[in-house]
Amino acid sequence: MSSVLVVHGGAWAIPEELARPSVEGVKAAARAGSSVLRSGGSALDAVEAAVRAMEDNTVFNAGHGATLNADGKVELDAIIMDGKTLASGAVSSVKNIANPVSLARAVMEKTSHVMLTDTGANLFAESIGIRTVPADELVSDFEKKEWEKHKNYVTGVIEDFSFQRDHDTVGAVALDSSGNVACATSTGGIRNKMVGRVGDSPVIGCGGYADNSLGAVSCTGHGESILKVTLARLILSHVEQGKSIADASKLALKYMSDRVQGGGGAVVVSPSGQWAATFTTQRMAWAAVERDELWYGLEQNERLKDQL
Ligand code: GLY
């Protein structure tokens, strides 16, 4: 079976100055994840590597470059899920951790729980030797400026999501040569969110889901809307009812838009290697590696090809 990896760098109205860096960033992440698959790594290893690449890139709202909460602090959420066993690990409201996706994986593999939050998640990170970084190291110049412009929570959230101006989330899905699928999603959440606010990203069935019998999904967009419609599982429910990956994604995103007026996007891979990158926002940077081809896009209906 040939492997597939698809990544997104967040669905939102990406401004011109971030358009090219966003596309370059998702292409680099897709290359990082697919090189893991090509050297025999699992889907789980590949989605972790791809998401780590975007967490390390300040262009994206995850890890370095994450949005700031109402107190001007970083609070990060992430999930990872293994489609073979339905094992899942997540963290929410963590600070000082550059790669929350790896901490989420440790929750999955080293504890009997599915999610750890806030202080407990940070204490767990310390106990297993996950490196912490000074909180300021995660804050980008772009985010400092944006946060200053939107210090008020109500203004920030309502304006940013009405006009899709909020920087949003990274994620990856993969199918490996053994037929296993996995997903991972990581985010700084919403700019000027209340302290302690947790969005969709770390919530199983909302920010991501993976099941070898149906496929894997990673979502992006307005967290409260995604939570209300359990977007990742909704997409796979449509797949369960016989829809293609692309139609299932479009139907679920349209439902979210009609029912709760939420914008967003998703990347999906099926157990047979079908994949889709779909969004209802103005733009979403995405990239996919299938056999030796690298596909990518930013605008609606854009599908470009590059050498791997
Ligand atoms: N989709 C990320 C969030 O709303 O937190």
Side-chain angles (χ1 to χ4, degrees):
M1 172 167 301
S2 58
S3 58
V4 179
L5 178 118
V6 195
V7 306
H8 68 77
W12 62 297
I14 301 168
E16 271 322 299
E17 74 264 29
L18 292 185
R20 199 181 152 83
S22 296
V23 170
E24 291 311 314
V26 290
K27 283 160 80 174
R31 287 186 172 109
S34 80
S35 93
V36 170
L37 289 171
R38 278 179 290 117
S39 57
S42 66
L44 209 53
D45 294 333
V47 294
E48 183 184 3
V51 166
R52 282 181 68 101
M54 291 183 281
E55 287 176 336
D56 291 345
N57 185 337
T58 57
V59 167
F60 301 114
N61 174 12
H64 286 83
T67 54
L68 300 175
N69 68 14
D71 272 0
K73 304 262 167 54
V74 166
E75 286 186 316
L76 304 167
D77 303 333
I79 190 170
I80 191 162
M81 186 162 181
D82 180 355
K84 185 178 178 185
T85 59
L86 303 191
S88 173
V91 290
S92 59
S93 299
V94 293
K95 292 111 189 155
N96 307 348
I97 302 286
N99 296 109
V101 71
S102 296
L103 183 55
R105 184 164 180 179
V107 170
M108 179 176 87
E109 291 177 342
K110 298 182 197 296
T111 80
S112 55
H113 303 307
V114 168
M115 191 196 290
L116 291 179
T117 192
D118 200 358
T119 316
N122 274 82
L123 285 172
F124 171 63
E126 219 174 278
S127 75
I128 57 167
I130 288 197
R131 191 176 70 92
T132 57
V133 293
D136 281 355
E137 192 188 301
L138 299 177
V139 183
S140 66
D141 291 341
F142 174 85
E143 182 53 26
K144 258 188 227 160
K145 279 190 214 134
E146 289 298 306
W147 185 79
E148 285 296 332
K149 270 199 260 170
H150 302 278
K151 266 187 189 160
N152 176 287
Y153 171 76
V154 175
T155 307
V157 173
I158 291 179
E159 281 191 4
D160 284 350
F161 274 100
S162 303
F163 300 102
Q164 302 167 359
R165 276 201 301 251
D166 215 30
H167 222 184
D168 196 65
T169 311
V170 303
V173 292
L175 166 71
D176 63 28
S177 56
S178 307
N180 296 314
V181 298
C183 72
T185 306
S186 181
T187 191
I190 292 180
R191 179 176 304 120
N192 289 326
K193 63 188 179 182
M194 289 175 71
V195 174
R197 177 266 188 191
V198 177
D200 60 294
S201 302
V203 179
I204 189 168
C206 296
Y209 201 80
D211 181 342
N212 274 7
S213 64
L214 295 171
V217 183
S218 170
C219 296
T220 161
H222 181 225
E224 281 69 10
S225 301
I226 294 173
L227 284 161
K228 286 173 190 168
V229 303
T230 57
L231 185 61
R233 198 59 187 80
L234 181 61
I235 291 172
L236 292 179
S237 298
H238 288 309
V239 172
E240 220 164 5
Q241 285 157 20
K243 299 286 181 212
S244 70
I245 292 289
D247 285 350
S249 307
K250 281 183 206 150
L251 268 175
L253 283 164
K254 183 175 179 330
Y255 178 76
M256 186 168 87
S257 171
D258 293 344
R259 189 75 174 85
V260 294
Q261 292 75 54
V267 291
V268 188
V269 68
S270 79
S272 63
Q274 302 295 308
W275 60 270
T278 312
F279 51 101
T280 53
T281 50
Q282 190 192 332
R283 286 172 158 172
M284 180 178 87
W286 63 268
V289 178
E290 188 185 20
R291 287 176 285 274
D292 284 334
E293 290 171 338
L294 175 68
W295 297 93
Y296 66 97
L298 178 73
E299 312 286 352
Q300 288 290 349
N301 303 316
E302 186 175 54
R303 199 173 147 123
L304 306 166
K305 195 161 81 161
D306 210 347
Q307 289 304 316
L308 190 56

